[in-house]
Amino acid sequence: MAVRRADSVVYEVVDDRAVLLHPTGKELLTLSVVGSMVWEELATEGNPSAIARALLAKFADVSLEQLETDVRAFLDELAEAGLVVPVDAE
């Protein structure tokens, strides 16, 4: 399922790491460098397979299948936290 950043999330990238303000405004989350790469890809692409393909060249020791699995799991975590929503959500 394709996702997009939730409209209520405020973020800034500092030293290659995205810092997100949770929609409740009560929690700051700092993503890993790899998580930040996925977050940045969400600016133009919300499909996990496409994000994995876009990032594959940066990870020589990882297969496309593993990267896609990891991207999907990460996006699922972001969705559970309310930081991303399905593309068709308003």
Side-chain angles (χ1 to χ4, degrees):
M1 168 175 57
V3 297
R4 63 177 175 79
R5 297 171 181 163
D7 293 335
S8 57
V9 176
V10 177
Y11 77 97
E12 186 167 331
V13 177
V14 179
D15 295 329
D16 296 325
R17 297 178 70 148
V19 179
L20 314 179
L21 178 61
H22 192 274
T24 62
K26 295 180 180 179
E27 185 176 358
L28 281 176
L29 301 153
T30 302
L31 302 181
S32 69
V33 173
V34 176
S36 297
M37 289 178 189
V38 173
W39 183 260
E40 287 296 312
E41 286 295 321
L42 287 171
T44 58
E45 181 59 63
N47 180 289
S49 297
I51 292 171
R53 285 191 301 275
L55 296 177
L56 185 60
K58 298 177 182 184
F59 302 99
D61 297 336
V62 179
S63 70
L64 177 59
E65 294 78 19
Q66 183 60 55
L67 188 55
E68 186 174 336
T69 297
D70 293 347
V71 167
R72 286 183 190 281
F74 179 65
L75 293 176
D76 286 346
E77 289 178 23
L78 293 179
E80 287 178 24
L83 301 170
V84 298
V85 295
V87 168
D88 55 5
E90 302 206 5

